[in-house]
Amino acid sequence: MISDCYLSHRMDFGPRLLPEGDGVCFRLWAPSAEKVEIGLLKKDEAWRIYSMDRAASGWFQLTVIEAEPGDLYQFRVDTGLWVPDPASRFQPEDVHGPSEVVSPAAFAWEDLSWKGRPWEEAVIYELHVGAFSREGTFQGVSSHLQRLADLGVTAIELMPVASFPGKRNWGYDGVLPFAPESCYGRPEDLKRLIQQAHHLGMMVFLDVVYNHFGPEGNYLYEYGKTFFSSRHKTPWGDAINYDGPGSRTVRDFFIHNALYWLEEFHLDGLRLDAVHSIFDDSSPHILKEIAGEVHNGPGKERHIHLVLENDANEACYLERDSGGRPYWYAAQWNDDIHHSLHCLLTGEDDGYYGDYGESALYYLGRCLTEGFAYQGEPSPYRDGQKRGESSKHLPLTSFVSFLQNHDQVGNRAFGERLSRLTSQKPLRAAVALVLLAPSIPLLFMGEEAGADNFFPFFCDFGADLAPLVTEGRRREFAYFEAFKDPEARRAIPDPADPRTFQEAVLDWDRLKAPHNLEWLDYYRCLLSLRQRVIVPMLGQMVTGKAGYRVPAATRESVVFPYYNAAEVRAKVLLADWPLQKGGSLKLYANLGPGDYGEIEVPEKGLIFSTAGDMPGGGTLPAWSVSWFAEQG
């Protein structure tokens, strides 16, 4: 028997389809409203207006017998303003238009035997639906899935697809979190994409935003002010009310959203954006309550993986039980490892990179063997505020590592990829380090083919808001030395200009040159090696016993990339991950521009080296990474 949660997710929010002939029950939580009406538009007819009944605790509801899937509807609140359903399943006319009644069970799923994949096997590929293909749709992503499976990707991660204003957006300005963005396709198109990925053995994760609503198209203030709390402030204004009066319904809204995506769309996991901007002084914390509901719901039937982005480096959300299973979250994006590597590859030390700078090699070693670089130490970038919690006791699969992602590329002024910021040899070394290290690797769309197009910040707000966003975007970079001059800031791409978005779109035909195919072969080789050699070792690693060292002769005082002969130094990092039955995984890396010849290299066990057979009998060439594996 097929569980109902494989077809639809039942909740108090949004329209509920009743048995055939009984119509649709519409509900709206509007605690700030005195009166609510609903308008229904059937095909080839005029709008019909109905007065909704007031129920308890701020709810309004009405069953409309003649309503059916495909009908459009809107709510009219006290002010006379027509608003969409905050739990709309589809917005065919964008976020300001009417919602559509959708039958969640209408899609004929053919993946009901799919149970997901263990977290240790994850190789994540982050992509933006609108910029990943020329079509810019769910179908456009589907057309490339076979290529990703052949590459060795085991999970794709979609940047947020919740409905946002306009036709172009990163997705973090969504305002209707249950409705897949209409410019990408219909809900069935997203389901078709997920089903195809499952047929190819790939998981699908979705990035969700539970820390704020976007600045345009959020009508909740008109009838549901209880959704927000002035007690807590975020970079976007008042925080979402997770702990004040009326917060139970707000909490349920987001808990149901998580379950909705996992059950109704058969997703394999969620990545929760910027949870350091979620404020909750109650117990249990909303993050733990969401995770608990997921693990006790769809997580009982198949592999479900929850991942955090958390600048606070709170290891408490990543704790494991005695069997090594996560109590709450499987992993966190590890910005620390990105920042350390980025400093070594580019020499940049502006902004948050200043926290790593000359100590980047040591922080990299700590990330590779302990998880976080900052585990309670003061952060100069944050004015000396202590950041992070101890993470050495956690398995290294609790951390997601990457060289690039949408933030670290797109939050640069021009959106340059690493292929524009460093040369091939350093980049190849860094790729080999990330893809074969114990932590879960993440790729950003196009990097595997050596893409060098920009991925700048883009959006499509209305005429009143767009100029403010453009000016605010440019003002963010005023503290960088290169953009202190207002004239220099004016060169930063305008997020509202359609040409800015077009720069981000991948041209897969252009990425078929020999240079690009070489990169593809390199990634394919490393990912194959990861699955064959590294993944089987992950469960054998002795948690908390990995270590690293930087040989005393290694110099850190390199002025890079503009160094002279006297400043060319090696930057050697050695790391070791012991295994339970003896043996270990070892890393010998030189992430500097000078050779290093004072080291004893293992005589056997070499599984990969960017330096081939490591000629020189113990010399670590400049920008080289070598991995050794020895089983007990």
Side-chain angles (χ1 to χ4, degrees), residues 386-462:
K386 290 184 178 181
R387 174 176 176 243
E389 298 172 352
S390 176
S391 61
K392 187 175 182 179
H393 64 290
L394 294 171
L396 290 167
T397 50
S398 305
F399 307 93
V400 176
S401 300
F402 41 83
L403 279 171
Q404 304 183 72
N405 63 32
H406 75 273
D407 269 332
Q408 304 307 333
V409 176
N411 282 336
R412 300 180 64 83
F414 297 100
E416 305 101 318
R417 293 170 177 266
L418 266 179
S419 54
R420 289 180 174 268
L421 302 174
T422 190
S423 57
Q424 179 165 311
K425 191 174 182 180
L427 189 53
R428 286 174 67 91
V431 169
L433 189 148
V434 169
L435 296 191
L436 297 182
S439 294
I440 301 299
L442 177 143
L443 317 180
F444 182 57
M445 61 177 200
E447 75 163 81
E448 77 283 8
D452 62 359
N453 65 305
F454 298 93
F455 187 82
F457 176 70
F458 51 81
C459 56
D460 184 23
F461 293 123

XYZ file of all heavy atoms in Angstrom, residues 386-462:
600
model
N 33.499 36.030 19.814
C 33.834 34.616 19.731
C 32.880 33.922 18.774
O 31.680 34.190 18.777
C 33.775 33.965 21.107
C 34.896 34.423 22.027
C 34.867 33.676 23.351
C 36.034 34.109 24.232
N 36.042 33.385 25.535
N 33.435 33.013 17.968
C 32.634 32.354 16.930
C 32.855 30.853 16.989
O 33.989 30.385 16.985
C 33.021 32.892 15.559
C 32.358 32.171 14.387
C 32.706 32.813 13.061
N 32.131 32.049 11.961
C 32.837 31.438 11.018
N 34.160 31.518 11.021
N 32.240 30.766 10.050
N 31.761 30.110 17.020
C 31.848 28.675 16.851
C 31.877 27.880 18.140
O 32.022 28.408 19.245
N 31.705 26.561 17.979
C 31.758 25.598 19.069
C 32.699 24.466 18.679
O 32.955 24.235 17.490
C 30.361 25.028 19.344
C 29.343 26.058 19.783
C 27.930 25.490 19.869
O 27.709 24.334 19.437
O 27.039 26.210 20.373
N 33.198 23.750 19.651
C 34.112 22.645 19.383
C 33.445 21.607 18.487
O 32.299 21.207 18.709
C 34.531 21.997 20.707
O 35.341 20.860 20.467
N 34.162 21.157 17.469
C 33.590 20.221 16.495
C 34.443 18.983 16.289
O 34.108 18.120 15.473
C 33.394 20.934 15.143
O 34.629 21.399 14.630
N 35.537 18.851 17.023
C 36.470 17.748 16.791
C 35.833 16.393 17.048
O 36.245 15.377 16.475
C 37.703 17.923 17.681
C 38.817 16.922 17.396
C 40.064 17.221 18.213
C 41.183 16.240 17.878
N 42.428 16.535 18.642
N 34.801 16.352 17.905
C 34.172 15.079 18.267
C 33.180 14.592 17.213
O 32.636 13.492 17.338
C 33.428 15.238 19.600
C 32.287 16.215 19.530
N 32.497 17.579 19.397
C 30.938 16.031 19.546
C 31.328 18.191 19.357
N 30.367 17.281 19.444
N 32.943 15.387 16.182
C 31.967 15.031 15.157
C 32.638 14.300 13.997
O 33.794 14.580 13.669
C 31.287 16.290 14.622
C 30.415 17.065 15.598
C 30.005 18.400 14.982
C 29.184 16.260 15.989
N 31.918 13.371 13.346
C 32.487 12.774 12.122
C 32.655 13.850 11.063
O 31.863 14.806 10.996
C 31.433 11.739 11.720
C 30.166 12.185 12.374
C 30.574 12.857 13.652
N 33.662 13.711 10.232
C 33.958 14.753 9.252
C 32.912 14.836 8.150
O 32.866 15.817 7.406
C 35.356 14.542 8.682
C 36.453 14.822 9.711
C 37.801 14.313 9.234
C 36.522 16.301 10.046
N 32.052 13.819 8.055
C 30.931 13.904 7.116
C 29.865 14.880 7.611
O 28.869 15.100 6.925
C 30.310 12.521 6.896
O 30.053 11.913 8.171
C 31.239 11.635 6.088
N 30.065 15.471 8.793
C 29.157 16.498 9.303
C 29.392 17.841 8.628
O 28.706 18.816 8.968
C 29.344 16.672 10.816
O 29.188 15.461 11.499
N 30.339 17.897 7.702
C 30.716 19.167 7.081
C 30.723 19.039 5.562
O 31.181 18.037 5.023
C 32.086 19.609 7.587
C 32.159 19.634 9.087
C 32.615 18.516 9.787
C 31.731 20.728 9.803
C 32.636 18.503 11.170
C 31.749 20.731 11.186
C 32.206 19.618 11.874
N 30.183 20.050 4.910
C 30.150 20.106 3.450
C 31.231 21.080 2.998
O 31.236 22.249 3.390
C 28.777 20.553 2.925
C 28.796 20.688 1.409
C 27.691 19.566 3.360
N 32.157 20.585 2.170
C 33.286 21.390 1.706
C 33.099 21.804 0.258
O 32.489 21.077 -0.531
C 34.594 20.590 1.837
O 34.826 20.225 3.176
N 33.652 22.944 -0.095
C 33.498 23.447 -1.462
C 34.578 24.473 -1.754
O 35.101 25.143 -0.862
C 32.118 24.090 -1.652
C 31.681 24.928 -0.470
C 32.091 26.239 -0.320
C 30.863 24.375 0.508
C 31.698 26.990 0.778
C 30.467 25.116 1.617
C 30.880 26.433 1.746
N 34.901 24.597 -3.031
C 35.769 25.666 -3.519
C 34.950 26.838 -4.030
O 35.421 27.973 -4.060
C 36.657 25.145 -4.650
C 37.899 24.372 -4.241
C 38.532 23.733 -5.467
C 38.887 25.272 -3.535
N 33.729 26.532 -4.481
C 32.857 27.565 -5.019
C 31.419 27.204 -4.663
O 31.080 26.034 -4.532
C 33.005 27.674 -6.544
C 34.435 27.924 -7.012
C 34.557 28.094 -8.510
O 34.156 29.099 -9.065
N 35.123 27.089 -9.171
N 30.586 28.219 -4.488
C 29.145 28.041 -4.406
C 28.497 29.367 -4.803
O 29.200 30.332 -5.140
C 28.696 27.565 -3.017
C 28.992 28.560 -1.913
O 28.989 29.773 -2.118
N 29.255 28.055 -0.715
N 27.180 29.445 -4.779
C 26.519 30.662 -5.258
C 26.932 31.872 -4.433
O 27.099 32.972 -4.983
C 24.999 30.487 -5.210
C 24.427 30.571 -3.834
N 24.338 29.480 -2.991
C 23.920 31.624 -3.143
C 23.807 29.860 -1.845
N 23.536 31.146 -1.901
N 27.102 31.702 -3.113
C 27.475 32.827 -2.250
C 28.887 33.307 -2.540
O 29.127 34.506 -2.742
C 27.392 32.406 -0.776
C 26.030 32.692 -0.167
O 25.352 33.621 -0.629
O 25.641 31.974 0.771
N 29.823 32.369 -2.528
C 31.225 32.759 -2.601
C 31.625 33.269 -3.978
O 32.609 33.994 -4.107
C 32.110 31.582 -2.183
C 31.782 31.028 -0.815
C 31.763 32.086 0.280
O 32.438 33.112 0.194
N 30.977 31.850 1.323
N 30.872 32.916 -5.005
C 31.080 33.503 -6.330
C 30.220 34.753 -6.480
O 30.708 35.840 -6.775
C 30.739 32.483 -7.446
C 30.871 33.141 -8.822
C 31.648 31.270 -7.356
N 28.924 34.599 -6.249
C 27.982 35.678 -6.536
C 28.058 36.863 -5.610
O 27.617 37.958 -5.977
N 28.585 36.696 -4.406
C 28.695 37.830 -3.499
C 29.962 38.633 -3.720
O 30.224 39.599 -2.980
C 28.599 37.364 -2.042
C 27.163 37.082 -1.647
O 26.233 37.623 -2.236
N 26.972 36.233 -0.651
N 30.753 38.273 -4.703
C 31.833 39.143 -5.148
C 31.213 40.265 -5.982
O 30.117 40.111 -6.543
C 32.846 38.356 -5.982
C 33.509 37.209 -5.238
C 34.492 36.466 -6.128
N 35.590 37.336 -6.531
C 36.668 37.580 -5.788
N 36.789 37.018 -4.602
N 37.620 38.380 -6.223
N 31.898 41.353 -6.099
C 31.329 42.511 -6.801
C 30.929 42.170 -8.231
O 29.870 42.598 -8.713
C 32.343 43.659 -6.797
N 31.770 41.392 -8.929
C 31.499 41.065 -10.328
C 31.089 39.612 -10.536
O 30.766 39.223 -11.655
C 32.723 41.385 -11.191
C 33.074 42.843 -11.203
C 34.089 43.328 -10.400
C 32.366 43.738 -11.991
C 34.397 44.679 -10.384
C 32.665 45.089 -11.987
C 33.690 45.571 -11.180
N 31.129 38.810 -9.475
C 30.723 37.415 -9.602
C 31.733 36.545 -10.316
O 31.366 35.633 -11.061
N 33.048 36.788 -10.080
C 34.070 35.994 -10.763
C 34.184 34.597 -10.153
O 34.213 34.434 -8.943
C 35.457 36.662 -10.651
C 35.509 38.080 -11.126
C 35.484 39.046 -9.954
O 34.693 38.809 -9.009
O 36.251 40.020 -9.967
N 34.299 33.611 -11.023
C 34.610 32.252 -10.591
C 36.111 32.134 -10.321
O 36.911 32.969 -10.765
C 34.204 31.254 -11.677
C 32.692 31.159 -11.911
C 32.401 30.339 -13.151
N 30.970 30.158 -13.386
C 30.267 29.111 -12.977
N 30.871 28.147 -12.302
N 28.981 29.015 -13.233
N 36.492 31.055 -9.617
C 37.905 30.845 -9.314
C 38.752 30.701 -10.561
O 39.944 31.007 -10.551
C 38.067 29.592 -8.442
C 38.105 29.810 -6.929
C 38.247 28.480 -6.224
C 39.227 30.758 -6.531
N 38.155 30.220 -11.649
C 38.912 30.062 -12.886
C 39.441 31.397 -13.394
O 40.373 31.428 -14.208
C 38.040 29.405 -13.965
O 36.830 30.125 -14.144
N 38.876 32.506 -12.921
C 39.366 33.839 -13.296
C 40.310 34.436 -12.256
O 40.894 35.498 -12.482
C 38.197 34.806 -13.496
C 37.368 34.540 -14.751
C 36.236 35.542 -14.884
N 35.525 35.378 -16.149
C 35.810 36.035 -17.260
N 36.795 36.924 -17.260
N 35.129 35.829 -18.371
N 40.430 33.775 -11.105
C 41.186 34.358 -9.997
C 42.492 33.650 -9.708
O 43.312 34.153 -8.943
C 40.321 34.345 -8.724
C 38.983 35.083 -8.818
C 38.173 34.851 -7.544
C 39.206 36.578 -9.043
N 42.676 32.466 -10.292
C 43.911 31.730 -10.080
C 44.219 30.940 -11.344
O 43.392 30.870 -12.255
C 43.797 30.804 -8.853
O 45.093 30.270 -8.535
C 42.830 29.656 -9.103
N 45.385 30.347 -11.388
C 45.779 29.588 -12.584
C 45.428 28.117 -12.434
O 44.996 27.654 -11.378
C 47.274 29.755 -12.846
O 48.032 29.349 -11.727
N 45.643 27.363 -13.490
C 45.169 25.987 -13.546
C 45.848 25.088 -12.528
O 45.186 24.268 -11.879
C 45.365 25.419 -14.951
C 44.906 23.963 -15.082
C 44.769 23.515 -16.509
O 44.163 24.191 -17.316
N 45.343 22.353 -16.828
N 47.151 25.211 -12.349
C 47.856 24.295 -11.459
C 47.385 24.416 -10.010
O 47.084 23.403 -9.366
C 49.365 24.516 -11.571
C 50.189 23.439 -10.879
C 51.674 23.626 -11.156
C 52.496 22.515 -10.509
N 53.951 22.688 -10.777
N 47.308 25.621 -9.437
C 46.763 25.731 -8.074
C 45.330 25.229 -7.977
O 44.962 24.579 -6.994
C 46.857 27.230 -7.776
C 47.919 27.742 -8.678
C 47.813 26.924 -9.922
N 44.533 25.508 -8.998
C 43.137 25.107 -8.948
C 42.999 23.588 -8.992
O 42.182 22.997 -8.271
C 42.372 25.761 -10.098
C 40.845 25.609 -10.073
C 40.273 26.058 -8.740
C 40.215 26.406 -11.210
N 43.798 22.935 -9.824
C 43.750 21.466 -9.888
C 44.130 20.863 -8.537
O 43.541 19.862 -8.094
C 44.676 20.941 -10.981
C 44.136 21.154 -12.385
C 45.158 20.743 -13.443
N 45.410 19.307 -13.449
C 44.740 18.434 -14.203
N 43.768 18.844 -14.998
N 45.038 17.144 -14.164
N 45.112 21.446 -7.871
C 45.520 20.941 -6.558
C 44.381 21.082 -5.550
O 44.075 20.160 -4.790
C 46.758 21.687 -6.070
N 43.729 22.239 -5.553
C 42.644 22.474 -4.595
C 41.457 21.552 -4.868
O 40.811 21.062 -3.933
C 42.210 23.935 -4.657
N 41.153 21.301 -6.136
C 40.060 20.397 -6.486
C 40.353 18.992 -5.963
O 39.483 18.332 -5.378
C 39.831 20.379 -8.011
C 38.894 19.247 -8.407
C 39.266 21.715 -8.481
N 41.582 18.524 -6.155
C 41.954 17.189 -5.677
C 41.873 17.108 -4.162
O 41.536 16.060 -3.599
C 43.360 16.831 -6.153
N 42.175 18.199 -3.497
C 42.098 18.205 -2.040
C 40.646 18.086 -1.571
O 40.303 17.258 -0.727
C 42.739 19.488 -1.504
C 42.934 19.572 0.012
C 44.170 20.387 0.343
C 41.715 20.177 0.696
N 39.760 18.896 -2.137
C 38.363 18.915 -1.687
C 37.634 17.625 -2.050
O 36.890 17.064 -1.232
C 37.623 20.142 -2.274
C 36.120 20.032 -2.043
C 38.166 21.424 -1.656
N 37.833 17.118 -3.257
C 37.047 15.972 -3.715
C 37.451 14.655 -3.063
O 36.651 13.721 -3.016
C 37.127 15.838 -5.236
C 36.524 16.978 -6.053
C 36.435 16.583 -7.524
C 35.150 17.393 -5.542
N 38.669 14.569 -2.535
C 39.112 13.324 -1.921
C 39.219 13.401 -0.401
O 39.534 12.409 0.252
C 40.453 12.880 -2.517
C 40.425 12.557 -4.015
C 41.800 12.087 -4.486
C 39.369 11.515 -4.350
N 38.944 14.557 0.180
C 38.952 14.690 1.640
C 37.714 14.016 2.234
O 36.709 13.815 1.545
C 38.997 16.168 2.023
N 37.750 13.655 3.511
C 36.619 12.929 4.110
C 35.298 13.686 4.128
O 34.235 13.067 4.079
C 37.110 12.654 5.532
C 38.592 12.635 5.431
C 38.916 13.683 4.415
N 35.317 15.002 4.219
C 34.064 15.755 4.266
C 33.304 15.633 2.953
O 33.884 15.326 1.902
C 34.340 17.225 4.589
O 34.860 17.357 5.898
N 31.998 15.909 2.999
C 31.148 15.792 1.815
C 31.455 16.946 0.851
O 31.401 18.106 1.237
C 29.658 15.842 2.225
C 29.334 14.715 3.200
C 28.767 15.782 0.991
C 29.549 13.319 2.671
N 31.779 16.630 -0.417
C 32.119 17.703 -1.361
C 30.887 18.271 -2.065
O 29.905 17.563 -2.309
C 33.033 16.997 -2.373
C 32.533 15.575 -2.381
C 32.025 15.288 -0.987
N 30.976 19.551 -2.379
C 29.932 20.237 -3.148
C 30.581 20.971 -4.307
O 31.606 21.645 -4.137
C 29.158 21.213 -2.262
C 28.081 22.068 -2.936
C 26.865 22.256 -2.000
C 28.603 23.453 -3.348
N 29.984 20.844 -5.496
C 30.427 21.555 -6.690
C 29.395 22.634 -7.022
O 28.200 22.457 -6.778
C 30.552 20.612 -7.886
C 31.195 19.242 -7.686
C 31.223 18.480 -9.001
C 32.572 19.377 -7.114
N 29.854 23.704 -7.614
C 28.939 24.740 -8.095
C 28.851 24.631 -9.612
O 29.863 24.468 -10.297
C 29.424 26.131 -7.703
C 28.497 27.230 -8.142
C 27.171 27.234 -7.745
C 28.952 28.241 -8.971
C 26.308 28.245 -8.161
C 28.102 29.245 -9.386
C 26.776 29.257 -8.988
N 27.648 24.711 -10.124
C 27.365 24.425 -11.525
C 28.389 25.043 -12.477
O 28.690 26.221 -12.413
C 25.964 24.931 -11.884
C 25.749 26.418 -11.733
S 24.079 26.866 -12.277
C 24.305 28.633 -12.579
N 28.925 24.206 -13.329
C 29.871 24.643 -14.348
C 31.318 24.515 -13.961
O 32.191 24.486 -14.842
N 31.627 24.424 -12.678
C 33.039 24.385 -12.278
C 33.719 23.140 -12.815
O 34.911 23.148 -13.129
C 33.195 24.482 -10.763
C 32.856 23.235 -9.982
C 33.411 23.257 -8.550
O 32.791 23.873 -7.673
O 34.471 22.644 -8.326
N 32.951 22.039 -12.932
C 33.540 20.780 -13.397
C 33.983 20.849 -14.849
O 34.773 20.025 -15.301
C 32.534 19.635 -13.223
C 31.414 19.577 -14.257
C 30.293 20.576 -14.061
O 30.406 21.463 -13.184
O 29.290 20.482 -14.796
N 33.498 21.857 -15.583
C 33.890 22.033 -16.980
C 34.796 23.245 -17.158
O 35.042 23.670 -18.285
C 32.644 22.173 -17.861
N 35.295 23.783 -16.058
C 36.171 24.947 -16.152
C 35.460 26.196 -16.627
O 36.076 27.065 -17.254
N 34.165 26.320 -16.337
C 33.407 27.506 -16.763
C 34.051 28.765 -16.194
O 34.494 28.786 -15.045
C 31.959 27.399 -16.298
N 34.095 29.809 -17.007
C 34.669 31.067 -16.536
C 33.690 32.232 -16.651
O 34.071 33.386 -16.464
C 35.965 31.398 -17.279
C 35.744 31.592 -18.779
O 34.590 31.450 -19.245
O 36.734 31.882 -19.484
N 32.424 31.933 -16.968
C 31.448 33.026 -17.014
C 31.170 33.509 -15.598
O 31.377 32.810 -14.613
C 30.146 32.563 -17.684
C 29.427 31.496 -16.887
O 30.019 30.462 -16.573
N 28.162 31.730 -16.550
N 30.704 34.737 -15.488
C 30.430 35.321 -14.188
C 29.123 34.761 -13.632
O 28.252 34.288 -14.366
C 30.321 36.843 -14.310
C 31.581 37.501 -14.784
C 31.800 37.750 -16.142
C 32.566 37.862 -13.883
C 32.961 38.349 -16.581
C 33.741 38.466 -14.317
C 33.940 38.706 -15.667
N 28.989 34.820 -12.315
C 27.713 34.533 -11.668
C 27.428 35.678 -10.696
O 27.627 35.562 -9.481
C 27.724 33.193 -10.938
C 26.356 32.801 -10.405
C 25.425 32.214 -11.235
C 26.015 33.058 -9.081
C 24.159 31.875 -10.746
C 24.761 32.721 -8.597
C 23.832 32.138 -9.428
N 26.988 36.825 -11.223
C 26.735 37.985 -10.367
C 25.367 37.901 -9.688
O 24.533 37.065 -10.041
C 26.776 39.155 -11.359
C 26.317 38.544 -12.655
C 26.778 37.106 -12.647
N 25.146 38.772 -8.739
C 23.839 38.860 -8.090
C 22.857 39.495 -9.065
O 23.165 40.497 -9.707
C 23.934 39.710 -6.825
C 22.611 39.920 -6.145
C 21.972 38.861 -5.511
C 22.005 41.159 -6.150
C 20.745 39.046 -4.891
C 20.782 41.349 -5.536
C 20.145 40.302 -4.897
N 21.646 38.910 -9.184
C 20.642 39.455 -10.100
C 19.259 39.357 -9.471
O 19.004 38.523 -8.591
C 20.669 38.734 -11.453
C 20.618 37.228 -11.363
C 19.416 36.546 -11.175
C 21.787 36.478 -11.473
C 19.380 35.165 -11.096
C 21.754 35.083 -11.380
C 20.542 34.436 -11.192
N 18.354 40.228 -9.903
C 16.977 40.234 -9.408
C 16.113 40.995 -10.406
O 16.614 41.583 -11.369
C 16.880 40.869 -8.015
S 17.552 42.548 -7.928
N 14.810 40.991 -10.150
C 13.858 41.608 -11.078
C 12.712 42.228 -10.284
O 11.555 41.851 -10.447
C 13.335 40.544 -12.060
C 12.410 41.139 -13.127
O 12.507 42.348 -13.396
O 11.596 40.378 -13.680
N 13.056 43.190 -9.406
C 12.044 43.835 -8.584
C 11.309 44.911 -9.371
O 11.727 45.317 -10.462
C 12.681 44.454 -7.337
C 13.230 43.436 -6.372
C 14.559 43.456 -5.982
C 12.407 42.446 -5.849
C 15.060 42.527 -5.092
C 12.897 41.503 -4.953
C 14.225 41.545 -4.574
N 10.224 45.404 -8.769
C 9.436 46.457 -9.389
C 10.199 47.770 -9.475
O 11.273 47.941 -8.885
